[in-house]
Amino acid sequence: MTINFKHVLSQKYIYIAVLSACLIAAAAFAVLSILITRDSRRNNEEFARKTFVRKYETVEKEFRNIEDYQYLLRALIQKDGLKNYREYSAVLNDINRKRNLLPYSWYSYYNATSGKSENNSLLSDVFRKKGRENGYVKIKNNGSGHFSDLLITRKDSTYWVSYDSIVLPRKDILYYGSAVSLDDLHQYFINVDKTPNNYAYVFTKEGICITHPEKKYIGKNIFDFTNIKPKDTVCSTTQLGYTEGSTISEYLNVEVTRFVKPLKTDNFEGYAVVNHVNFLIDESVNRTKTYTVYIFLAALFLIVTVFILFYRFTNSAYKEKEKIQSDKNLLLIENEKMHKAEALNQLQQLKNNINPHFLFNSLNSLYMLIGINKENARKFTMNLSKIYRYLIVPPKENIVPVAQEISFIQQYMELLKSRFDEELSFTLIINNTESLEKKIPYLSLQMVTENAIKHNIATIDHPLEISITVEENGITVKNTWQPKTDEAVQGEKFGLDYLNQVYDYFKNNSVNISVDSEYFICFLPLLE
């Protein structure tokens, strides 16, 4: 398609192009602003999910550490009964203080005979008093740990107490377990994971809050001071195993993304909640938008300037280049036509040589046959007249259907059989009938079989065997390898040269020739 740049780059069209560029820049800025806002929110949401996973893993890990500590305490006390429970408790507490671990162990030994108790913690008095008014709430769980859990409030502090008991033969009872300050537990979560813009808390499956940054909510029912609904805790139907939604924080009174995920161990069953504050820094986003406007305007000005300069200083050079390119294309087309005409001329010359070549060979054979067997000579003459009709009007493109060439070679072999009789045997095998619809060079089978007769001995004792096999991708012509050694053959490479030039013209693989110990094999590729 030819483009008239002088018309396209006229002053009127330059103004239109500038106006269009301005409109495109404005539209692009609007789209970019939307994309920046959307990507900022998407990045914020993705960051919130990552911080939620990290915060949840921190909470889960500490709950499992508390559980492992309870198992260790049970194993030590049950190892040798009541011999060293005081020492075990003291040693474990000393280790916890040095390693800054949250749980500490306690015990309370109740003597049934005296009715007195021995203990190492004020928290153990819960086993001597009854009633919720004494500051404890029981936490239910169905885990396999078999520890009982209580929330105990002492002096404005709430503790999570896990305990077990051993009943002795005299009905003495040893209560033992671990206790964790929920204030210390929440502070631990903050210190371990200082990811900004989020906070976490844990509540039991009944809704009792275990940890919370607001101390007054610990021990309260989560459904009373938050807008969490029971459906928010149904996480089994979600693909990721947790629920996610936007809400207003009961603690910060700002919009947050809330994640709720089950938290379950052998001795605890509840939920972990992570609230992530949604920060969209409008000032930063607006600054980015402003910079984007400046960039668009500068780029637009630069493009228009370069466009005008290009029009003024390169218009004539472009026309000259266009003319040179047009002349070059014409030369290439003419050159291609000349090459094709030359190739067709060479093939036509070869084709013109084939018919006389075939006729002279046939007349030589007829001359020899007249002196040997006149009856076969008459048959040979009649057959020659039939098959020579195939040669009267050769194809222009030098290729014919495989089926047509197969029919011709059968007639041709009948002609040769009348001359050679038992000295020659011919076999035709068609393994792929679809290949009969493809094409092959004109007289290619005749040339290959004639080549076999020229160069090989054919006698009654050593008959010449020729087989033609039609395969999927080509035709294999195979003859017994018994070459003549006492005479030179004229036109030895005439037929093969012709075939190779036809295949080269159609840009196909050339004729493939090989010789093994017994056979001479020629493979002719098929043309589509």
Side-chain angles (χ1 to χ4, degrees):
M1 181 177 66
T2 303
I3 301 176
N4 191 338
F5 268 79
K6 184 176 181 180
H7 176 70
V8 172
L9 298 180
S10 63
Q11 188 175 14
K12 174 183 176 181
Y13 286 95
I14 289 177
Y15 292 150
I16 295 176
V18 172
L19 179 60
S20 300
C22 293
L23 294 176
I24 292 173
F29 169 70
V31 172
L32 185 61
S33 299
I34 296 173
L35 293 177
I36 290 174
T37 304
R38 186 179 67 180
D39 289 345
S40 298
R41 181 171 292 275
R42 185 186 296 114
N43 292 335
N44 187 71
E45 292 174 353
E46 187 64 26
F47 177 73
R49 293 187 184 97
K50 291 180 180 179
T51 56
F52 152 67
V53 172
R54 185 161 58 248
K55 181 73 75 173
Y56 176 85
E57 290 175 348
T58 301
V59 174
E60 183 183 41
K61 179 180 178 181
E62 187 55 35
F63 270 69
R64 294 196 181 279
N65 287 340
I66 295 173
E67 184 176 273
D68 293 340
Y69 179 83
Q70 294 169 351
Y71 288 152
L72 174 62
L73 182 62
R74 172 185 285 170
L76 291 174
I77 290 180
Q78 293 183 351
K79 180 179 179 182
D80 52 7
L82 303 177
K83 294 180 181 179
N84 300 307
Y85 66 88
R86 297 181 183 86
E87 289 77 5
Y88 290 150
S89 181
V91 170
L92 288 175
N93 286 333
D94 186 59
I95 293 175
N96 289 345
R97 282 191 295 271
K98 292 180 179 179
R99 298 178 59 188
N100 295 323
L101 299 180
L102 294 177
Y104 66 90
S105 64
W106 57 268
Y107 65 87
S108 177
Y109 181 77
Y110 174 74
N111 191 316
T113 302
S114 63
K116 296 181 179 180
S117 297
E118 175 190 354
N119 61 77
N120 68 339
S121 173
L122 295 177
L123 299 177
S124 61
D125 63 355
V126 72
F127 300 107
R128 301 194 307 270
K129 299 178 182 180
K130 305 295 182 182
R132 190 174 295 272
E133 66 278 7
N134 291 317
Y136 78 89
V137 177
K138 190 172 183 180
I139 302 176
K140 298 179 182 179
N141 68 75
N142 298 322
S144 59
H146 304 299
F147 276 85
S148 300
D149 296 285
L150 301 173
L151 289 182
I152 301 176
T153 303
R154 292 291 184 271
K155 297 181 180 180
D156 296 330
S157 296
T158 304
Y159 299 88
W160 174 20
V161 177
S162 295
Y163 72 93
D164 198 0
S165 62
I166 298 178
V167 180
L168 304 176
R170 295 182 302 172
K171 296 186 178 180
D172 295 347
I173 302 176
L174 174 65
Y175 296 96
Y176 66 93
S178 64
V180 178
S181 170
L182 297 185
D183 295 338
D184 295 342
L185 181 60
H186 183 76
Q187 189 61 39
Y188 174 81
F189 292 151
I190 295 176
N191 293 333
V192 170
D193 184 8
K194 295 185 178 181
T195 305
N197 307 336
N198 68 50
Y199 66 92
Y201 56 89
V202 179
F203 64 92
T204 67
K205 64 179 181 179
E206 295 83 14
I208 300 174
C209 185
I210 298 295
T211 66
H212 200 282
E214 189 70 46
K215 188 175 180 180
K216 65 180 181 180
Y217 292 140
I218 297 178
K220 306 297 183 180
N221 193 302
I222 201 74
F223 301 110
D224 294 338
F225 63 88
T226 69
N227 58 0
I228 295 178
K229 300 294 188 293
K231 66 178 182 179
D232 297 327
T233 63
V234 181
C235 305
S236 58
T237 58
T238 62
Q239 184 177 3
L240 299 176
Y242 61 83
T243 59
E244 174 183 351
S246 295
T247 185
I248 301 299
S249 169
E250 77 290 339
Y251 173 54
L252 302 175
N253 199 29
V254 296
E255 182 184 359
V256 296
T257 300
R258 181 175 62 204
F259 301 90
V260 182
K261 186 175 182 179
L263 179 64
K264 186 174 182 180
T265 66
D266 289 347
N267 201 43
F268 180 81
E269 189 172 357
Y271 299 89
V273 181
V274 178
N275 287 338
H276 183 87
V277 181
N278 295 329
F279 280 111
L280 283 174
I281 309 176
D282 295 333
E283 183 178 354
S284 177
V285 172
N286 291 334
R287 188 181 298 113
T288 303
K289 293 179 180 179
T290 302
Y291 293 157
T292 305
V293 171
Y294 292 157
I295 293 173
F296 265 106
L297 292 177
L300 180 62
F301 176 77
L302 181 62
I303 291 173
V304 172
T305 303
V306 172
F307 192 76
I308 295 174
L309 293 176
F310 173 80
Y311 166 73
R312 290 182 177 180
F313 296 105
T314 64
N315 193 30
S316 60
Y318 176 80
K319 290 181 178 180
E320 184 66 25
K321 182 179 178 181
E322 188 179 40
K323 184 176 182 303
I324 294 174
Q325 185 65 36
S326 178
D327 294 340
K328 183 178 178 181
N329 291 338
L330 290 175
L331 289 174
L332 290 175
I333 293 173
E334 292 297 327
N335 189 38
E336 183 67 23
K337 290 181 178 179
M338 289 177 60
H339 280 296
K340 187 172 183 180
E342 182 179 357
L344 288 174
N345 185 49
Q346 291 177 355
L347 292 177
Q348 186 63 35
Q349 290 178 0
L350 286 170
K351 186 171 65 176
N352 293 336
N353 290 333
I354 289 174
N355 290 344
H357 183 77
F358 175 73
L359 178 60
F360 294 151
N361 288 339
S362 300
L363 292 176
N364 288 335
S365 300
L366 178 61
Y367 175 78
M368 296 174 60
L369 193 60
I370 290 174
I372 299 173
N373 190 327
K374 293 182 179 181
E375 182 63 27
N376 287 342
R378 283 195 295 269
K379 294 180 181 179
F380 185 91
T381 303
M382 293 299 296
N383 201 12
L384 178 61
S385 65
K386 292 179 182 179
I387 66 174
Y388 207 80
R389 295 173 186 172
Y390 186 67
L391 305 174
I392 293 175
V393 185
K396 294 182 180 180
E397 295 294 331
N398 297 290
I399 57 172
V400 294
V402 173
Q404 187 174 336
E405 189 72 8
I406 289 294
S407 177
F408 170 76
I409 198 63
Q410 287 177 310
Q411 295 176 347
Y412 178 71
M413 293 308 296
E414 285 296 326
L415 184 148
L416 294 180
K417 284 285 290 182
S418 63
R419 171 187 169 188
F420 290 96
D421 198 12
E422 297 179 0
E423 299 172 359
L424 177 68
S425 67
F426 171 70
T427 305
L428 175 64
I429 303 173
I430 300 177
N431 290 332
N432 192 308
T433 56
E434 296 179 357
S435 298
L436 297 176
E437 300 177 1
K438 298 181 180 179
K439 294 186 177 181
I440 196 171
Y442 175 61
L443 294 181
S444 54
L445 296 180
Q446 185 271 335
M447 293 180 190
V448 177
T449 54
E450 182 183 9
N451 187 70
I453 295 172
K454 279 184 181 181
H455 295 279
N456 293 277
I457 298 172
T459 63
I460 296 177
D461 296 332
H462 299 283
L464 179 62
E465 299 176 0
I466 299 176
S467 66
I468 297 177
T469 304
V470 180
E471 300 171 350
E472 182 179 0
N473 298 319
I475 298 178
T476 301
V477 181
K478 183 168 65 173
N479 62 268
T480 50
W481 178 241
Q482 40 199 36
K484 299 177 180 179
T485 58
D486 57 347
E487 59 180 83
V489 180
Q490 295 181 352
E492 182 175 354
K493 295 184 178 180
F494 173 79
L496 295 179
D497 288 342
Y498 164 76
L499 292 177
N500 283 326
Q501 289 196 44
V502 173
Y503 279 111
D504 289 341
Y505 176 76
F506 288 100
K507 297 181 180 179
N508 204 316
N509 296 326
S510 299
V511 179
N512 187 3
I513 296 174
S514 61
V515 179
D516 60 15
S517 59
E518 297 182 2
Y519 293 96
F520 179 90
I521 302 172
C522 179
F523 181 78
L524 301 173
L526 298 181
L527 303 173
E528 296 295 338

